Amino acid sequence: MTDVDGFDEFYRGSRQRLLGFVYVLTSDLAEAQDAVQEAFVRAWQRWSTVGSYEDPEAWVRVVAARIAVSRWRSLRSRARAYRRLGAAGPLPAPSTDTVEIVTAMRRLPEEQRVALALYYLLGLPVADVARETGVPVGTVKARLSRGRGALAGLLTVDLEEAADA
């Protein structure tokens, strides 16, 4: 029997018991599934050692329980920080200008959107935009130029409508 076959057999024979055990600890099925899955991944990574233990399920059970406890501690620490610092206030709604720009950006080709976002929103130099997108500097410059031109056309305000408002 290969290591893969041995692990598969072990997994099929123990997954439900381990999930039930961790579910009782956490009272949260999704959290229990995550912890058990992570424990099985760790067991698979060390299966040549774990598989030779007298009771590999005990090893996975301990690892899964420790993962669950570690998550509890993290949540508890986060809750303490929220109590100490206060919860973040509600975010303001986006301005109409922001909504209009986002709507216009969605209408641009992806290459132009990416170039504009990297250059104007993140403030990357043209050379960095070129490196990140995998195109020559001249191509980035062309995309920026075309993107600005397209945005200008999409964001033009009818001066008569603005005067009437």
Side-chain angles (χ1 to χ4, degrees), residues 32-124:
Q33 289 170 331
D34 286 348
V36 170
Q37 179 181 9
E38 178 65 26
F40 273 115
V41 166
R42 292 180 187 181
W44 169 248
Q45 292 169 337
R46 300 163 181 79
W47 187 243
S48 59
T49 303
V50 173
S52 66
Y53 291 164
E54 184 176 321
D55 188 2
E57 187 174 330
W59 186 91
V60 176
R61 188 172 42 250
V62 168
V63 170
R66 287 180 179 165
I67 290 168
V69 167
S70 176
R71 290 181 180 170
W72 290 336
R73 289 179 180 148
S74 174
L75 289 172
R76 189 176 60 203
S77 296
R78 197 173 309 147
R80 282 187 200 139
Y82 285 142
R83 281 194 305 269
R84 190 173 53 248
L85 302 173
L91 295 175
S95 70
T96 55
D97 291 342
T98 301
V99 172
E100 289 173 12
I101 291 171
V102 169
T103 302
M105 290 281 285
R106 287 182 180 157
R107 295 179 63 192
L108 297 178
E110 180 181 356
E111 295 83 13
Q112 290 175 11
R113 274 196 320 261
V114 170
L116 289 168
L118 291 172
Y119 185 76
Y120 288 105
L121 296 178
L122 296 182
L124 295 180

